Amino acid sequence: TSLLAHLRAVDVPLRAALKLSQLDRVEVHGLAAELAKVRAELTKLGDTYVQFFETEPTAMRRPMPCSGEHGSDTGVSVSHRYKVHGGSMALVKSHAGAFAEHAASVPGVDHHALSTSEDGCVHLQHSYIDAQAAIKHLQEAREHRESHLGQHASFDGLEIHGPPAEIERIKAYMAKAVEAAVGAAFAVEGAAHVLGVDVADGAAKAKQAADAVAASLQRVVLYVLDGRAIRRAFSSTIMNIGYVLSSAEQAAVAQVCTAGAGVSHAAHRTGARAAAAAAAIGNAALHVEHAVVEDLR
């Protein structure tokens, strides 16, 4: 109900923005009961149909200190996107508890959610206190993600949202990772020339790995938030999540999760017209950058 009330409140400026720009997609994430309320009133925004993602009840929120002053929020959010292999959605959902348990054990993670859509898409979402926490978790959790999702779904992209200073730190990390991958490929290739054909196969594989890193960059998009982004204080209980949740635990986790569904409007700007739209509704333009790094999978 909070989401629907907000959309009604911003209907006029939102319509003005839609006249000057084009929506890429509209997503609503939330618990099944909350999604049902939204579906009853909202199926399209402009000419774009809404895609609904049901959030598993193992979602986690915990408070992050934020003064509320301009620029005080250093939070970075990361969304991994996957396409589920045919018939594997139930297997993906069965790993929700393991993902939540892992996220709850990591310092710097203040939000975790696994959401699935009816058309076979999966979002694994995390929020962090800053870029350093995001980078650390992205590095250390890659094998954990692959072990639970790699056999059941294909990586389809990654979005990272954060304030300018934190996104610059993400970009610097990615640039170093790419440089290291390319350097390693050249080193192995050089060794192949010196030592002969015995290591030629290794050189070829190193080059393939470097090429894979570069290709993966095309699926990573960085979004820079403006200084008017807000984060309101909240409190919640951090659950001790076991591999199998009892019905009582599921009810407790459901209370911890946000009752309202969250909406994500991703709009692509179209030159000066999009800038005019941003000015019209008081939103800053989103600057998109593509970058590279296999660790981000």
Side-chain angles (χ1 to χ4, degrees):
T1 54
S2 297
L3 168 63
L4 294 170
H6 174 69
L7 289 177
R8 286 191 288 267
V10 299
D11 181 68
V12 173
L14 189 57
R15 288 180 182 275
L18 291 177
K19 291 179 180 180
L20 299 169
S21 60
Q22 181 178 354
L23 279 173
D24 179 52
R25 65 182 185 274
V26 180
E27 298 174 1
V28 177
H29 297 243
L31 296 175
E34 300 302 319
L35 290 184
K37 298 175 186 177
V38 179
R39 284 179 187 269
E41 296 190 34
L42 179 70
T43 57
K44 292 176 68 176
L45 193 60
D47 294 326
T48 305
Y49 283 95
V50 177
Q51 187 177 20
F52 293 93
F53 285 81
E54 181 180 344
T55 302
E56 291 298 300
T58 51
M60 176 197 77
R61 286 183 182 272
R62 53 191 177 191
M64 183 189 80
C66 179
S67 68
E69 297 177 0
H70 181 82
S72 64
D73 188 359
T74 59
V76 172
S77 61
V78 176
S79 178
H80 292 84
R81 298 173 177 273
Y82 294 88
K83 291 283 190 181
V84 178
H85 302 157
S88 297
M89 184 61 81
L91 290 172
V92 169
K93 289 185 176 184
S94 72
H95 294 292
F99 277 119
E101 186 175 17
H102 183 267
S105 69
V106 178
V109 177
D110 63 13
H111 173 248
H112 157 83
L114 180 72
S115 303
T116 58
S117 70
E118 293 178 349
D119 58 354
C121 296
V122 174
H123 282 200
L124 179 61
Q125 299 172 315
H126 294 100
S127 293
Y128 305 89
I129 60 173
D130 55 22
Q132 183 177 356
I135 291 169
K136 189 173 188 296
H137 188 231
L138 285 167
Q139 288 176 314
E140 296 179 352
R142 182 168 66 86
E143 291 185 4
H144 184 265
R145 289 192 301 272
E146 288 300 313
S147 66
H148 290 286
L149 284 175
Q151 295 181 354
H152 312 308
S154 301
F155 178 72
D156 191 46
L158 178 70
E159 289 185 4
I160 303 178
H161 298 239
E166 302 305 311
I167 291 298
E168 286 301 315
R169 292 184 175 93
I170 296 283
K171 288 164 63 177
Y173 159 71
M174 295 171 80
K176 289 181 180 178
V178 175
E179 183 179 353
V182 173
F186 276 117
V188 175
E189 187 175 5
H193 287 301
V194 173
L195 299 177
V197 294
D198 289 341
V199 293
D201 183 57
K205 290 181 179 179
K207 186 178 186 303
Q208 289 175 0
D211 290 342
V213 171
S216 69
L217 286 166
Q218 299 177 7
R219 295 185 175 182
V220 181
V221 184
L222 305 181
Y223 288 86
V224 180
L225 303 179
D226 73 0
R228 287 168 288 187
I230 64 171
R231 180 189 295 266
R232 291 196 173 117
F234 63 87
S235 61
S236 67
T237 303
I238 302 173
M239 304 304 299
N240 292 320
I241 302 169
Y243 186 74
V244 178
L245 298 176
S246 67
S247 58
E249 287 171 330
Q250 289 181 11
V253 175
Q255 292 176 358
V256 173
C257 297
T258 304
V263 68
S264 169
H265 307 300
H268 284 297
R269 300 186 304 158
T270 312
R273 295 181 64 197
I281 64 173
N283 290 328
L286 295 175
H287 302 286
V288 181
E289 299 237 12
H290 293 280
V292 199
V293 64
E294 195 169 52
D295 273 346
L296 294 177
R297 293 190 180 188

